[in-house]
Amino acid sequence: HDDVWLPDHLALCREVLLGEGADFVFGAAAYINAQSATPLRFDSLSIGISGAGSGHSWSPAGVEDSVAPASSWMMRREVFDGLRGWRLGRDCYTDPSQDFLFRAWRVGFRIRPVREITVVIVTSARRPGSYQAEGAAEQDWVLEHMDDPGFACELAALAYESNDHFNARARRNLAPVKRLAGRLVAALGLSPRSLYFRMKKGFSSGEYIRSLRSGRGLPAYAPPAGNVPAIRFDMVRRSCRIDPPAAIDFAPGAGGARFLAHGWSRPEPSGVWNDGPEAALLFDIGCRPDGDVLVELEVAPILAPGESRRTVEVYSGEELLQSWALAAGHQSVQIRVPGKSLRHSMVMVMFKFPATASPKAGGLSDDPRDLAMRLIRGRVALDAFPEP
């Protein structure tokens, strides 16, 4: 949707697919780096190349230079059917597309690079909030030059100094040991790119995709640990749509459970308790707000014998919004989530409890949970005039 095929992309891919008896081919992709000044001009472009291949073949051994973007692909239908499509991002340590490409190589499909630039990519992952921003000035600039027969050649010339495949000086400096290690890892059935993200970047399954979504301005919340909490979180994420202003009731059967992202007990007649040191509410307000989001709550703390206050910290992302010292009894509180801090329609409010109380440990009841605050009811509204 944001990558652009050059006019001869399909023809060149088909030529290699048929002429070399390949199963899977891809053109080289020229990507416009975020360092390029805007508005775009040839004399200020920074260009990289992906999917150049090595000679007339492709290998997953070179982690940094083996990526072939999916928008550059052409394959026989039996490849896609044989691999049954690509896996969900949450199940991959790398891009699902590159996981698919590695699996195609692993089972022996004949993969060939076209060795010509056929796709132009404006790197959305490096432009903060690019999937939410209006306009597409960079793509418009590419389209303006689409019919110029020298366009792709000029992109290749700009990429010469920065790309290993086109720069003989850089190629001489590549570490042979690194490539040999990549080949050995691939021969063992492990994707070197996946291993790279796991070992060097420290990413867990699905974390790389979440980081890309976050940079592009899309919701990218990591589910909590544990199968049941993760299931609950994913169901809340899909069900938490709300049309402000709207009231919420956290009693059983009242519908408030669809906003309890994680860290909460089941709804009870008196509301819902946290269970542990942190808990979160999640709301999808349908669009990125122009102003602040107001979350009004009626809450009540649990106080152990001898305590007079319960501390609650309120966060939006990493930003501490408020710190409460809740006294005994019901009380109303208001949380203002700055609209300028939101990149999308999802609003997460995180509560952290420096200290909790177990009713069982305090001799109040047989309840063993680690409690701090009860939610009774609430309201979500929009403020079109954010505070400065």
Side-chain angles (χ1 to χ4, degrees):
H1 65 293
D2 56 357
D3 301 344
V4 183
W5 283 351
L6 294 177
D8 54 1
H9 167 74
L10 292 174
L12 290 171
C13 288
R14 182 177 183 273
E15 180 180 313
V16 174
L17 191 76
L18 299 179
E20 297 191 17
D23 301 306
F24 190 130
V25 303
F26 49 81
Y31 57 89
I32 298 175
N33 285 315
Q35 296 90 333
S36 301
T38 54
L40 297 181
R41 302 191 321 270
F42 280 109
D43 59 359
S44 62
L45 284 182
S46 175
I47 300 294
I49 300 291
S50 288
S54 180
H56 294 282
S57 63
W58 178 86
S59 167
V63 173
E64 292 90 349
D65 57 12
S66 64
V67 175
S71 53
S72 69
W73 296 355
M74 178 183 285
M75 72 185 80
R76 299 182 187 275
R77 179 182 293 274
E78 50 264 33
V79 176
F80 192 83
D81 291 344
L83 295 175
R84 305 182 68 177
W86 59 30
R87 301 190 299 161
L88 294 175
R90 67 189 182 196
D91 297 327
C92 299
Y93 290 92
T94 180
D95 336 44
S97 60
Q98 302 311 301
D99 172 80
F100 179 92
L101 181 58
F102 175 76
R103 289 189 290 127
W105 174 84
R106 178 70 177 158
V107 300
F109 284 115
R110 294 162 295 180
I111 303 175
R112 299 289 185 270
V114 171
R115 301 286 290 167
E116 292 191 40
I117 294 174
T118 69
V119 179
V120 180
I121 295 176
V122 180
T123 51
S124 60
R126 301 186 185 184
R127 291 179 295 135
S130 59
Y131 281 13
Q132 290 288 334
E134 296 292 335
E138 295 95 336
Q139 282 85 354
D140 289 341
W141 183 86
V142 172
L143 292 172
E144 288 173 5
H145 295 85
M146 186 64 65
D147 294 328
D148 179 356
F151 180 47
C153 293
E154 187 145 4
L155 296 178
L158 290 168
Y160 178 81
E161 292 297 323
S162 61
N163 188 266
D164 292 338
H165 291 287
F166 291 166
N167 189 333
R169 290 169 297 178
R171 188 163 57 245
R172 283 197 299 266
N173 294 328
L174 289 176
V177 174
K178 186 176 181 181
R179 286 195 169 274
L180 176 61
R183 293 190 185 99
L184 292 175
V185 168
L188 293 173
L190 300 174
S191 165
R193 181 171 171 81
S194 292
L195 193 62
Y196 171 81
F197 279 109
R198 293 173 68 179
M199 302 297 291
K200 187 169 183 178
K201 300 290 188 179
F203 287 162
S204 59
S205 179
E207 189 173 352
Y208 177 56
I209 294 301
R210 286 193 293 272
S211 70
L212 293 182
R213 289 179 61 86
S214 178
R216 291 164 173 165
L218 300 178
Y221 299 118
N227 288 333
V228 173
I231 289 173
R232 179 181 183 178
F233 178 85
D234 284 339
M235 295 180 69
V236 167
R237 186 171 55 182
R238 295 180 184 277
S239 306
C240 63
R241 181 75 165 81
I242 191 169
D243 295 316
I248 305 169
D249 192 332
F250 294 105
R258 63 192 180 97
F259 306 110
L260 304 175
H262 67 83
W264 304 102
S265 67
R266 62 182 177 84
E268 302 172 10
S270 59
V272 59
W273 287 96
N274 72 291
D275 185 7
E278 63 180 43
L281 295 173
L282 186 61
F283 308 99
D284 181 357
I285 60 175
C287 62
R288 185 179 180 183
D290 293 328
D292 296 348
V293 179
L294 305 179
V295 181
E296 301 167 350
L297 298 172
E298 183 180 346
V299 303
I302 183 173
L303 300 176
E307 290 184 321
S308 60
R309 301 278 177 175
R310 173 67 61 206
T311 299
V312 179
E313 297 174 346
V314 185
Y315 290 81
S316 174
E318 299 297 323
E319 181 183 0
L320 176 63
L321 300 179
Q322 300 173 20
S323 182
W324 303 332
L326 300 179
H330 294 195
Q331 48 218 282
S332 296
V333 293
Q334 184 185 83
I335 304 165
R336 179 182 290 270
V337 181
K340 62 183 180 181
S341 69
L342 301 173
R343 289 183 174 179
H344 42 71
S345 65
M346 303 290 277
V347 180
M348 176 177 277
V349 179
M350 175 74 73
F351 303 92
K352 296 187 177 182
F353 312 102
T356 58
S358 168
K360 184 174 183 179
L364 301 177
S365 71
D366 292 331
D367 189 341
R369 294 176 298 178
D370 295 318
L371 309 181
M373 183 181 73
R374 174 162 51 98
L375 300 180
I376 303 167
R377 59 186 60 88
R379 182 176 180 270
V380 176
L382 298 180
D383 185 350
F385 304 98
E387 293 180 344

